[in-house]
Amino acid sequence: MKLDTTPKQDGFYFPAEYEPVREVWLAWPERRDNWRASAKPAQQTFANVANAIADVVSVSVAVSSSQYETARSMLHPSVKLVEMAFNDSWMRDIGPTVVVNSSGQRRGVSWKFNAWGGEFNGLYEDWSDDDKVAASVCDVLGIDHYRAPFVLEGGAIHTDGDGTLYTTEECLLSPGRNPELSKQQIEALLAEYLGIEKVVWLPNGLSNDETDGHVDNLLHVVAPAKVVLSWTDDPFDPQFKLSREAHAALSEQTDAQGRSIEIVKIPVPGPLYYSQEEANGIESSDGMNRHEGERLSASYANFLMVNEHIFLPLLDDQYDDIAIEILTKALPNYQVVGIPTREVLLGGGNIHCITQQIPA
């Protein structure tokens, strides 16, 4: 059921990803202008991710009727398939952000979705099915939902569940999202729909990120007042300046509880680029042009935390083990599960982008 109140009015808030999770959702990829070779390599990778998560927690996958049998044959029997219409498979951005209250009730938030920029710089023209996914997932979960009156994607926000929200100015203040809203108005709406008390603003996201700098590709909130930040020491890498800007912004601010923010640096893989075969394997479209030699917006921060497990994208033999070592040291109670996910990266995101956790 759609509610006419707001989460803040009703005493609901957005919990942290490191709090207990009951279920994880994905959506099955098939779009040929985003996933190469008729999406078959991406489907195998999505299945590997879903099956790995299913060892830890319940997994549901939204799928079109035409892809149902294919998905069923590739996914573990415990993975639940739900027939649903959608335009592309970024469940983090099209699925609901689930909020909770002090007595453990859950409700969903359905954000306005416009394919990362609408008519200004959106990645495809028709996003009408995507915009309905959050409400549909809430119906399947049997929970009520709120419809937020502004454009937002789940990948654009991270929270500590303790009053602090992390985001980037590049994304939330981009002309394709909510040009009629000021920064202060956006902050007020985030407080109203996520029950947060403070927004920690970072200037920009990761270099060459076609989502206009989603925060989940730049950093990950891993504990109260503790973040993992994408980093490079190569002064010739465009990310060099962006990571230092983010580090400065985090260092100059405290969280909602007045705590200084601990920053764990994790290297960016690569740099990585589209190969000729990868670029040519995608059907051309207006919004999503892929070119041989184009830099991929690759990040180890784009992992998923589920019940003391980290599902980490493996992207670069040179850095994979280093990333695992850094996370294991920073989060000794967590088991790091590495999954090769270059095929997801080719579509413009990674494990965090294709998943949406449902809090316990």
Side-chain angles (χ1 to χ4, degrees), residues 3 6-14 99-107 146 191-196:
L3 302 163
T6 70
K8 185 178 179 182
Q9 288 171 353
D10 297 340
F12 283 76
Y13 70 95
F14 181 26
V99 292
V100 299
N101 66 8
S102 56
S103 60
Q105 285 181 291
R106 298 174 301 165
R107 292 175 180 175
Y146 305 91
E192 202 62 49
Y193 281 86
L194 294 168
I196 53 105

PDB file of all heavy atoms in Angstrom, residues 3 6-14 99-107 146 191-196:
ATOM      1  N   LEU A   3       1.663   4.938   1.073  1.00  0.00           N
ATOM      2  CA  LEU A   3       1.339   5.767   2.230  1.00  0.00           C
ATOM      3  C   LEU A   3       1.436   7.251   1.876  1.00  0.00           C
ATOM      4  O   LEU A   3       2.226   7.646   1.020  1.00  0.00           O
ATOM      5  CB  LEU A   3       2.307   5.457   3.376  1.00  0.00           C
ATOM      6  CG  LEU A   3       2.324   3.991   3.840  1.00  0.00           C
ATOM      7  CD1 LEU A   3       3.564   3.703   4.665  1.00  0.00           C
ATOM      8  CD2 LEU A   3       1.063   3.678   4.636  1.00  0.00           C
ATOM      9  N   THR A   6       5.311  10.487   5.661  1.00  0.00           N
ATOM     10  CA  THR A   6       6.725  10.291   5.335  1.00  0.00           C
ATOM     11  C   THR A   6       7.361   9.396   6.393  1.00  0.00           C
ATOM     12  O   THR A   6       6.849   9.286   7.516  1.00  0.00           O
ATOM     13  CB  THR A   6       7.498  11.628   5.300  1.00  0.00           C
ATOM     14  OG1 THR A   6       7.613  12.137   6.645  1.00  0.00           O
ATOM     15  CG2 THR A   6       6.818  12.656   4.407  1.00  0.00           C
ATOM     16  N   PRO A   7       8.490   8.761   6.068  1.00  0.00           N
ATOM     17  CA  PRO A   7       9.161   7.914   7.066  1.00  0.00           C
ATOM     18  C   PRO A   7       9.496   8.665   8.348  1.00  0.00           C
ATOM     19  O   PRO A   7       9.315   8.128   9.444  1.00  0.00           O
ATOM     20  CB  PRO A   7      10.435   7.462   6.333  1.00  0.00           C
ATOM     21  CG  PRO A   7      10.051   7.469   4.882  1.00  0.00           C
ATOM     22  CD  PRO A   7       9.125   8.637   4.733  1.00  0.00           C
ATOM     23  N   LYS A   8       9.967   9.901   8.228  1.00  0.00           N
ATOM     24  CA  LYS A   8      10.327  10.664   9.427  1.00  0.00           C
ATOM     25  C   LYS A   8       9.105  10.901  10.306  1.00  0.00           C
ATOM     26  O   LYS A   8       9.165  10.740  11.530  1.00  0.00           O
ATOM     27  CB  LYS A   8      10.965  11.998   9.023  1.00  0.00           C
ATOM     28  CG  LYS A   8      11.487  12.796  10.208  1.00  0.00           C
ATOM     29  CD  LYS A   8      12.155  14.087   9.742  1.00  0.00           C
ATOM     30  CE  LYS A   8      12.665  14.894  10.932  1.00  0.00           C
ATOM     31  NZ  LYS A   8      13.280  16.163  10.483  1.00  0.00           N
ATOM     32  N   GLN A   9       7.978  11.255   9.679  1.00  0.00           N
ATOM     33  CA  GLN A   9       6.744  11.466  10.443  1.00  0.00           C
ATOM     34  C   GLN A   9       6.337  10.196  11.201  1.00  0.00           C
ATOM     35  O   GLN A   9       5.809  10.264  12.312  1.00  0.00           O
ATOM     36  CB  GLN A   9       5.604  11.864   9.496  1.00  0.00           C
ATOM     37  CG  GLN A   9       5.712  13.273   8.933  1.00  0.00           C
ATOM     38  CD  GLN A   9       4.690  13.532   7.831  1.00  0.00           C
ATOM     39  OE1 GLN A   9       3.984  12.617   7.402  1.00  0.00           O
ATOM     40  NE2 GLN A   9       4.618  14.775   7.369  1.00  0.00           N
ATOM     41  N   ASP A  10       6.604   9.052  10.591  1.00  0.00           N
ATOM     42  CA  ASP A  10       6.158   7.780  11.164  1.00  0.00           C
ATOM     43  C   ASP A  10       7.226   7.092  12.022  1.00  0.00           C
ATOM     44  O   ASP A  10       7.019   5.972  12.486  1.00  0.00           O
ATOM     45  CB  ASP A  10       5.716   6.833  10.041  1.00  0.00           C
ATOM     46  CG  ASP A  10       4.516   7.375   9.270  1.00  0.00           C
ATOM     47  OD1 ASP A  10       3.815   8.251   9.812  1.00  0.00           O
ATOM     48  OD2 ASP A  10       4.287   6.933   8.122  1.00  0.00           O
ATOM     49  N   GLY A  11       8.388   7.746  12.180  1.00  0.00           N
ATOM     50  CA  GLY A  11       9.426   7.182  13.034  1.00  0.00           C
ATOM     51  C   GLY A  11      10.278   6.117  12.381  1.00  0.00           C
ATOM     52  O   GLY A  11      10.826   5.238  13.066  1.00  0.00           O
ATOM     53  N   PHE A  12      10.410   6.170  11.050  1.00  0.00           N
ATOM     54  CA  PHE A  12      11.229   5.197  10.328  1.00  0.00           C
ATOM     55  C   PHE A  12      12.532   5.844   9.874  1.00  0.00           C
ATOM     56  O   PHE A  12      12.590   7.048   9.618  1.00  0.00           O
ATOM     57  CB  PHE A  12      10.472   4.658   9.110  1.00  0.00           C
ATOM     58  CG  PHE A  12       9.416   3.643   9.458  1.00  0.00           C
ATOM     59  CD1 PHE A  12       8.204   4.041  10.017  1.00  0.00           C
ATOM     60  CD2 PHE A  12       9.633   2.291   9.239  1.00  0.00           C
ATOM     61  CE1 PHE A  12       7.230   3.107  10.352  1.00  0.00           C
ATOM     62  CE2 PHE A  12       8.660   1.352   9.570  1.00  0.00           C
ATOM     63  CZ  PHE A  12       7.452   1.758  10.124  1.00  0.00           C
ATOM     64  N   TYR A  13      13.579   5.017   9.767  1.00  0.00           N
ATOM     65  CA  TYR A  13      14.890   5.525   9.330  1.00  0.00           C
ATOM     66  C   TYR A  13      15.587   4.466   8.466  1.00  0.00           C
ATOM     67  O   TYR A  13      15.238   3.288   8.486  1.00  0.00           O
ATOM     68  CB  TYR A  13      15.777   5.888  10.535  1.00  0.00           C
ATOM     69  CG  TYR A  13      16.249   4.683  11.319  1.00  0.00           C
ATOM     70  CD1 TYR A  13      17.489   4.103  11.072  1.00  0.00           C
ATOM     71  CD2 TYR A  13      15.438   4.096  12.303  1.00  0.00           C
ATOM     72  CE1 TYR A  13      17.914   2.979  11.761  1.00  0.00           C
ATOM     73  CE2 TYR A  13      15.846   2.977  13.002  1.00  0.00           C
ATOM     74  CZ  TYR A  13      17.100   2.423  12.723  1.00  0.00           C
ATOM     75  OH  TYR A  13      17.507   1.304  13.405  1.00  0.00           O
ATOM     76  N   PHE A  14      16.605   4.901   7.749  1.00  0.00           N
ATOM     77  CA  PHE A  14      17.367   4.064   6.826  1.00  0.00           C
ATOM     78  C   PHE A  14      18.511   3.401   7.598  1.00  0.00           C
ATOM     79  O   PHE A  14      19.431   4.077   8.041  1.00  0.00           O
ATOM     80  CB  PHE A  14      17.894   4.971   5.708  1.00  0.00           C
ATOM     81  CG  PHE A  14      18.701   4.304   4.630  1.00  0.00           C
ATOM     82  CD1 PHE A  14      18.554   2.966   4.315  1.00  0.00           C
ATOM     83  CD2 PHE A  14      19.621   5.061   3.890  1.00  0.00           C
ATOM     84  CE1 PHE A  14      19.298   2.380   3.298  1.00  0.00           C
ATOM     85  CE2 PHE A  14      20.367   4.489   2.876  1.00  0.00           C
ATOM     86  CZ  PHE A  14      20.211   3.152   2.583  1.00  0.00           C
ATOM     87  N   VAL A  99      13.273   1.156   4.920  1.00  0.00           N
ATOM     88  CA  VAL A  99      13.492   1.840   6.196  1.00  0.00           C
ATOM     89  C   VAL A  99      12.825   1.032   7.311  1.00  0.00           C
ATOM     90  O   VAL A  99      11.920   0.236   7.054  1.00  0.00           O
ATOM     91  CB  VAL A  99      12.944   3.281   6.148  1.00  0.00           C
ATOM     92  CG1 VAL A  99      13.762   4.137   5.188  1.00  0.00           C
ATOM     93  CG2 VAL A  99      11.462   3.313   5.731  1.00  0.00           C
ATOM     94  N   VAL A 100      13.296   1.235   8.537  1.00  0.00           N
ATOM     95  CA  VAL A 100      12.798   0.469   9.685  1.00  0.00           C
ATOM     96  C   VAL A 100      12.472   1.424  10.829  1.00  0.00           C
ATOM     97  O   VAL A 100      12.895   2.586  10.816  1.00  0.00           O
ATOM     98  CB  VAL A 100      13.848  -0.567  10.165  1.00  0.00           C
ATOM     99  CG1 VAL A 100      14.171  -1.559   9.073  1.00  0.00           C
ATOM    100  CG2 VAL A 100      15.118   0.125  10.661  1.00  0.00           C
ATOM    101  N   ASN A 101      11.727   0.929  11.816  1.00  0.00           N
ATOM    102  CA  ASN A 101      11.505   1.714  13.027  1.00  0.00           C
ATOM    103  C   ASN A 101      12.048   0.960  14.239  1.00  0.00           C
ATOM    104  O   ASN A 101      12.588  -0.149  14.100  1.00  0.00           O
ATOM    105  CB  ASN A 101      10.029   2.099  13.200  1.00  0.00           C
ATOM    106  CG  ASN A 101       9.127   0.897  13.446  1.00  0.00           C
ATOM    107  OD1 ASN A 101       9.591  -0.231  13.638  1.00  0.00           O
ATOM    108  ND2 ASN A 101       7.824   1.123  13.446  1.00  0.00           N
ATOM    109  N   SER A 102      11.914   1.541  15.403  1.00  0.00           N
ATOM    110  CA  SER A 102      12.530   0.972  16.606  1.00  0.00           C
ATOM    111  C   SER A 102      11.933  -0.379  16.995  1.00  0.00           C
ATOM    112  O   SER A 102      12.572  -1.167  17.698  1.00  0.00           O
ATOM    113  CB  SER A 102      12.417   1.948  17.776  1.00  0.00           C
ATOM    114  OG  SER A 102      11.054   2.287  17.980  1.00  0.00           O
ATOM    115  N   SER A 103      10.730  -0.665  16.520  1.00  0.00           N
ATOM    116  CA  SER A 103      10.133  -1.964  16.862  1.00  0.00           C
ATOM    117  C   SER A 103      10.340  -3.001  15.756  1.00  0.00           C
ATOM    118  O   SER A 103       9.778  -4.094  15.807  1.00  0.00           O
ATOM    119  CB  SER A 103       8.639  -1.796  17.159  1.00  0.00           C
ATOM    120  OG  SER A 103       7.956  -1.282  16.039  1.00  0.00           O
ATOM    121  N   GLY A 104      11.154  -2.648  14.754  1.00  0.00           N
ATOM    122  CA  GLY A 104      11.516  -3.634  13.736  1.00  0.00           C
ATOM    123  C   GLY A 104      10.582  -3.720  12.546  1.00  0.00           C
ATOM    124  O   GLY A 104      10.759  -4.577  11.693  1.00  0.00           O
ATOM    125  N   GLN A 105       9.576  -2.841  12.469  1.00  0.00           N
ATOM    126  CA  GLN A 105       8.729  -2.811  11.274  1.00  0.00           C
ATOM    127  C   GLN A 105       9.528  -2.284  10.085  1.00  0.00           C
ATOM    128  O   GLN A 105      10.440  -1.478  10.252  1.00  0.00           O
ATOM    129  CB  GLN A 105       7.523  -1.897  11.504  1.00  0.00           C
ATOM    130  CG  GLN A 105       6.443  -2.454  12.389  1.00  0.00           C
ATOM    131  CD  GLN A 105       5.307  -1.449  12.519  1.00  0.00           C
ATOM    132  OE1 GLN A 105       5.471  -0.392  13.133  1.00  0.00           O
ATOM    133  NE2 GLN A 105       4.174  -1.758  11.928  1.00  0.00           N
ATOM    134  N   ARG A 106       9.147  -2.713   8.885  1.00  0.00           N
ATOM    135  CA  ARG A 106       9.842  -2.268   7.673  1.00  0.00           C
ATOM    136  C   ARG A 106       8.856  -1.637   6.696  1.00  0.00           C
ATOM    137  O   ARG A 106       7.713  -2.069   6.579  1.00  0.00           O
ATOM    138  CB  ARG A 106      10.529  -3.458   6.991  1.00  0.00           C
ATOM    139  CG  ARG A 106      11.592  -4.114   7.853  1.00  0.00           C
ATOM    140  CD  ARG A 106      12.152  -5.359   7.212  1.00  0.00           C
ATOM    141  NE  ARG A 106      11.092  -6.332   6.970  1.00  0.00           N
ATOM    142  CZ  ARG A 106      11.214  -7.380   6.175  1.00  0.00           C
ATOM    143  NH1 ARG A 106      12.332  -7.596   5.543  1.00  0.00           N
ATOM    144  NH2 ARG A 106      10.214  -8.220   6.012  1.00  0.00           N
ATOM    145  N   ARG A 107       9.322  -0.627   6.009  1.00  0.00           N
ATOM    146  CA  ARG A 107       8.578  -0.014   4.916  1.00  0.00           C
ATOM    147  C   ARG A 107       9.562   0.361   3.814  1.00  0.00           C
ATOM    148  O   ARG A 107      10.750   0.563   4.088  1.00  0.00           O
ATOM    149  CB  ARG A 107       7.820   1.231   5.389  1.00  0.00           C
ATOM    150  CG  ARG A 107       6.672   0.908   6.355  1.00  0.00           C
ATOM    151  CD  ARG A 107       6.010   2.155   6.895  1.00  0.00           C
ATOM    152  NE  ARG A 107       4.912   1.804   7.804  1.00  0.00           N
ATOM    153  CZ  ARG A 107       4.211   2.690   8.502  1.00  0.00           C
ATOM    154  NH1 ARG A 107       4.487   3.991   8.401  1.00  0.00           N
ATOM    155  NH2 ARG A 107       3.239   2.296   9.291  1.00  0.00           N
ATOM    156  N   TYR A 146       6.388   4.334   0.687  1.00  0.00           N
ATOM    157  CA  TYR A 146       6.247   5.781   0.468  1.00  0.00           C
ATOM    158  C   TYR A 146       6.724   6.093  -0.945  1.00  0.00           C
ATOM    159  O   TYR A 146       7.674   5.471  -1.424  1.00  0.00           O
ATOM    160  CB  TYR A 146       7.127   6.564   1.449  1.00  0.00           C
ATOM    161  CG  TYR A 146       6.893   6.255   2.901  1.00  0.00           C
ATOM    162  CD1 TYR A 146       7.627   5.252   3.551  1.00  0.00           C
ATOM    163  CD2 TYR A 146       5.968   6.978   3.652  1.00  0.00           C
ATOM    164  CE1 TYR A 146       7.428   4.981   4.894  1.00  0.00           C
ATOM    165  CE2 TYR A 146       5.766   6.712   4.999  1.00  0.00           C
ATOM    166  CZ  TYR A 146       6.490   5.709   5.610  1.00  0.00           C
ATOM    167  OH  TYR A 146       6.298   5.436   6.948  1.00  0.00           O
ATOM    168  N   ALA A 191      16.239  14.076   4.815  1.00  0.00           N
ATOM    169  CA  ALA A 191      15.910  13.898   6.233  1.00  0.00           C
ATOM    170  C   ALA A 191      14.497  13.347   6.392  1.00  0.00           C
ATOM    171  O   ALA A 191      14.243  12.469   7.234  1.00  0.00           O
ATOM    172  CB  ALA A 191      16.054  15.223   6.977  1.00  0.00           C
ATOM    173  N   GLU A 192      13.580  13.833   5.562  1.00  0.00           N
ATOM    174  CA  GLU A 192      12.171  13.439   5.661  1.00  0.00           C
ATOM    175  C   GLU A 192      11.967  11.985   5.239  1.00  0.00           C
ATOM    176  O   GLU A 192      11.158  11.254   5.831  1.00  0.00           O
ATOM    177  CB  GLU A 192      11.336  14.373   4.775  1.00  0.00           C
ATOM    178  CG  GLU A 192       9.879  14.461   5.149  1.00  0.00           C
ATOM    179  CD  GLU A 192       9.640  15.009   6.554  1.00  0.00           C
ATOM    180  OE1 GLU A 192      10.212  16.064   6.924  1.00  0.00           O
ATOM    181  OE2 GLU A 192       8.877  14.362   7.284  1.00  0.00           O
ATOM    182  N   TYR A 193      12.698  11.541   4.209  1.00  0.00           N
ATOM    183  CA  TYR A 193      12.441  10.202   3.653  1.00  0.00           C
ATOM    184  C   TYR A 193      13.424   9.131   4.124  1.00  0.00           C
ATOM    185  O   TYR A 193      13.210   7.944   3.878  1.00  0.00           O
ATOM    186  CB  TYR A 193      12.398  10.285   2.122  1.00  0.00           C
ATOM    187  CG  TYR A 193      11.054  10.824   1.670  1.00  0.00           C
ATOM    188  CD1 TYR A 193      10.835  12.201   1.584  1.00  0.00           C
ATOM    189  CD2 TYR A 193       9.972   9.976   1.436  1.00  0.00           C
ATOM    190  CE1 TYR A 193       9.591  12.711   1.242  1.00  0.00           C
ATOM    191  CE2 TYR A 193       8.730  10.475   1.088  1.00  0.00           C
ATOM    192  CZ  TYR A 193       8.542  11.842   1.004  1.00  0.00           C
ATOM    193  OH  TYR A 193       7.301  12.337   0.675  1.00  0.00           O
ATOM    194  N   LEU A 194      14.490   9.548   4.819  1.00  0.00           N
ATOM    195  CA  LEU A 194      15.454   8.563   5.305  1.00  0.00           C
ATOM    196  C   LEU A 194      15.682   8.667   6.813  1.00  0.00           C
ATOM    197  O   LEU A 194      16.435   7.877   7.378  1.00  0.00           O
ATOM    198  CB  LEU A 194      16.791   8.728   4.569  1.00  0.00           C
ATOM    199  CG  LEU A 194      16.714   8.394   3.074  1.00  0.00           C
ATOM    200  CD1 LEU A 194      17.971   8.865   2.355  1.00  0.00           C
ATOM    201  CD2 LEU A 194      16.492   6.896   2.857  1.00  0.00           C
ATOM    202  N   GLY A 195      15.037   9.637   7.458  1.00  0.00           N
ATOM    203  CA  GLY A 195      15.170   9.775   8.900  1.00  0.00           C
ATOM    204  C   GLY A 195      16.581  10.118   9.348  1.00  0.00           C
ATOM    205  O   GLY A 195      16.980   9.787  10.470  1.00  0.00           O
ATOM    206  N   ILE A 196      17.361  10.776   8.463  1.00  0.00           N
ATOM    207  CA  ILE A 196      18.743  11.111   8.813  1.00  0.00           C
ATOM    208  C   ILE A 196      18.799  12.519   9.408  1.00  0.00           C
ATOM    209  O   ILE A 196      17.866  13.304   9.272  1.00  0.00           O
ATOM    210  CB  ILE A 196      19.690  10.975   7.608  1.00  0.00           C
ATOM    211  CG1 ILE A 196      19.170  11.776   6.403  1.00  0.00           C
ATOM    212  CG2 ILE A 196      19.843   9.518   7.227  1.00  0.00           C
ATOM    213  CD1 ILE A 196      19.888  13.018   6.120  1.00  0.00           C
TER     214      ILE A 196
END
